[in-house]
């Protein structure tokens, strides 16, 4: 019984990760996709989409800071 539960959890984790990767790829591909569409298409909640957006914005801001620093000091 425990092995079935562990197996189910692992399968759920894989599905969840796959959905997050698919959303990330769509957004990084430059497609404009509304939050409601992502929630409906992938069956995720609003917080998941917001978290991905925030992480992508943080990465972008970090990259911009690196480029600015290189332009100023090189």
């Amino acid at each position: 019984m425990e092995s079935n539960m562990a197996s189910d959890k692992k399968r759920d984790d894989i599905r969840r990760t796959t959905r997050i990767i698919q959303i990330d790829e769509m957004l990084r591909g430059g497609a404009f996709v509304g939050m409601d569409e992502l929630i409906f298409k992938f069956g995720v909640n609003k917080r998941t989409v917001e978290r991905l957006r925030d992480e992508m914005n943080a990465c972008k801001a970090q990259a911009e800071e690196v480029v600015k620093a290189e332009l100023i000091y090189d």
Side-chain angles (χ1 to χ4, degrees):
M1 178 97 168
E2 281 186 40
S3 64
N4 282 344
M5 289 175 58
S7 172
D8 289 345
K9 181 174 177 359
K10 185 174 182 178
R11 197 171 17 258
D12 288 345
D13 289 345
I14 290 170
R15 281 191 212 120
R16 186 176 303 113
T17 301
T18 300
R19 285 192 308 254
I20 291 171
I21 290 169
Q22 289 172 330
I23 293 169
D24 182 64
E25 287 173 348
M26 282 180 69
L27 296 175
R28 287 180 192 268
F32 176 79
V33 183
M35 185 176 293
D36 291 336
E37 183 180 348
L38 290 172
I39 291 168
F40 176 77
K41 183 174 182 174
F42 293 102
V44 295
N45 61 37
K46 182 178 178 180
R47 183 63 196 130
T48 299
V49 177
E50 290 173 338
R51 190 179 75 233
L52 282 171
R53 180 201 57 209
D54 294 346
E55 288 175 8
M56 290 177 69
N57 286 340
C59 289
K60 180 181 174 191
Q62 254 184 332
E64 288 172 349
E65 289 300 316
V66 168
V67 169
K68 286 178 188 175
E70 288 179 1
L71 290 173
I72 292 171
Y73 297 111
D74 282 346

